[in-house]
Amino acid sequence: MTFRIRVPEVITLTEYDRVPSNAVTFSRRNIYKRDRFTCQYCGGQPGSEELTLDHVQPRSRGGTSTWENCVLACLECNKRKADRTPTEARMPLRKAPVRPTWKPLYARHDVRIESWSKFLSEAYWTVELDE
Ligand SMILES: [Zn+2]
């Protein structure tokens, strides 16, 4: 079964010159894009399969899922850091995570979906994560 859907990468803006600060969707794909598939602790680029989302301030200690608190970490660094802050773990971030400022109006794209499982995996990458 083949069907076609339009996957909005970002929220559509109605007022072009007033870009809201939350314009870029907080999604897995965009976090990977922002961090350039690079572990923010060791600088490694092990490939997307080996990268995870790390909460800088751990979730168990009140850390939120936001642009400023989520970075890519390789499996090894994620395991090593565990439920600690970068300071406690002595694992400084290579750079402070920020909300991207890409131009959202040009970020739409069409995605051809060939199967439900591919659709689900597309959703895995593009769905807005809970903050
Ligand atoms: Zn690492």
Side-chain angles (χ1 to χ4, degrees):
M1 184 170 62
T2 300
F3 53 100
R4 207 176 163 81
I5 59 162
R6 174 170 280 271
V7 180
E9 192 85 331
V10 294
I11 299 156
T12 305
L13 303 175
T14 50
E15 292 176 76
Y16 64 90
D17 60 349
R18 284 176 45 201
V19 180
S21 60
N22 63 347
V24 179
T25 309
F26 181 63
S27 68
R28 202 172 291 268
R29 170 171 288 157
N30 285 336
I31 295 169
Y32 275 62
K33 190 175 159 190
R34 182 199 65 183
D35 291 350
R36 298 168 190 271
F37 292 78
T38 304
C39 171
Q40 296 301 295
Y41 294 103
C42 71
Q45 296 185 313
S48 55
E49 306 273 295
E50 301 282 312
L51 287 167
T52 59
L53 290 189
D54 177 64
H55 288 77
V56 177
Q57 170 78 21
R59 272 190 121 139
S60 57
R61 310 203 359 218
T64 50
S65 295
T66 56
W67 282 114
E68 295 79 10
N69 195 49
C70 287
V71 295
L72 286 187
C74 69
L75 291 175
E76 215 165 292
C77 286
N78 201 321
K79 212 167 105 192
R80 212 176 107 209
K81 178 171 172 284
D83 259 7
R84 297 178 294 179
T85 65
T87 312
E88 289 167 354
R90 294 177 190 228
M91 294 170 66
L93 284 163
R94 296 171 77 84
K95 58 177 187 210
V98 293
R99 186 183 290 274
T101 51
W102 308 317
K103 288 277 189 301
L105 286 175
Y106 306 102
R108 288 178 149 263
H109 63 161
D110 283 327
V111 181
R112 183 179 283 279
I113 303 294
E114 268 145 30
S115 67
W116 186 242
S117 67
K118 279 197 182 162
F119 169 73
L120 289 181
S121 92
E122 181 65 22
Y124 175 81
W125 289 102
T126 55
V127 73
E128 180 153 19
L129 305 171
D130 284 336
E131 293 205 13

